[in-house]
Amino acid sequence: MSSFSIAAAIFVLVTASILGNSNAQLSSTFYSTTCPNVTSIVRGVVEQAQQNDIRIGAKLIRVHFHDCFVNGCDGSIMLDNADGIESEKDAPPNQSTDGYDVVDDIKTAVENVCPGVVSCSDILAIASQILVSANGGPTWEAQLGRRDSRTANRAGTSAIPSFLENLEQISQKFRDAGLDSTDLVALSGAHTFGRARCSTFVHRLYNFSGTGNPDPTIEAGYLETLRQACPQNGSGDTLNDLDQSTRDAFDNHYFTNLQNNRGLLQTDQVLFSTSGDTVAIVDRFANSQSDFFDSFGQSMINMGNIGVLTGTNGEIRTDCRRVN
């Protein structure tokens, strides 16, 4: 073998070793040469989608969140049932997730321009950033370079925080994912837009924890409003604003709602009504929208780094719903 061939072989081995490292850092410029227009392509699709569905931003950021908490941000949540794959979508925490058709549209548009280049997991990260900003929220540099998993983990969906859990339980799930209390409070702030079904909070309205009384942390006027929207034994599917003050705007009103005992979900209100370090963080974000925005962008980056596949791990799916 010539010296050139030996050098080339060493380069390939070293490069493969680096790329195969699942801890390799993501980069905001990952597609700068391979698909330089990816952000504008995604923006074109999601802006059109938002004209038809004002809730698409809340839907896609929720899918991104639920994806990252199961085996990391690897696009596994998007896989449909198939041979050897039990879809995570069928697990209780994900049965109400939505927006996959828009992801399909984004993927089609991206594949038309840059075939086999951009992962489905990166599409979720890009779309989340664009839609938060489009609704008045912060802009941050989405970190890219993830690859998609070839498997799903339905049982692993137990790692997703539940609307029935207390502060310690959800805090532990965030710690298990490598996220801290600031991440917990900042990412919960995504509930500044979107809706939730009556079934996710009706337990707070009539018989909280088997007491026969409502959750004492709900402000009286808000309790009456919610009872009218969600009568006892009524439809659990009725949608309610997560932030009743500015329902579709991404701002810091979510945190002033918590200060006024007007958090919709149990997991929202416990951030302020349970003694602990989250109370001061809620106060800080309520007092400074710019502080919330800065922290939210950083926490989205932190979350987006959970368990990513990079280099030669995983694949770039051509169809987000099935492995290649």
Side-chain angles (χ1 to χ4, degrees), residues 227-248:
R227 281 181 164 178
Q228 290 178 10
C230 305
Q232 201 163 15
N233 302 318
S235 172
D237 292 331
T238 303
L239 294 175
N240 296 261
D241 299 330
L242 281 160
D243 175 358
Q244 73 279 3
S245 56
T246 52
R247 62 188 311 213
D248 295 319

Side-chain angles (χ1 to χ4, degrees), residues 74-146:
D74 61 359
S76 60
I77 192 173
M78 291 178 272
L79 290 171
D80 288 341
N81 287 312
D83 289 343
I85 292 178
E86 292 187 335
S87 177
E88 294 170 17
K89 296 175 189 175
D90 293 336
N94 291 331
Q95 287 172 359
S96 61
T97 56
D98 197 4
Y100 300 104
D101 55 336
V102 175
V103 177
D104 292 339
D105 292 342
I106 298 170
K107 184 61 174 173
T108 298
V110 172
E111 286 293 309
N112 285 339
V113 179
C114 312
V117 173
V118 181
S119 66
C120 299
S121 44
D122 276 351
I123 282 174
L124 280 181
I126 297 169
S128 296
Q129 189 281 313
I130 291 170
L131 287 164
V132 165
S133 179
N135 285 277
T139 296
W140 65 94
E141 290 192 339
Q143 303 299 294
L144 308 170
R146 302 169 190 81

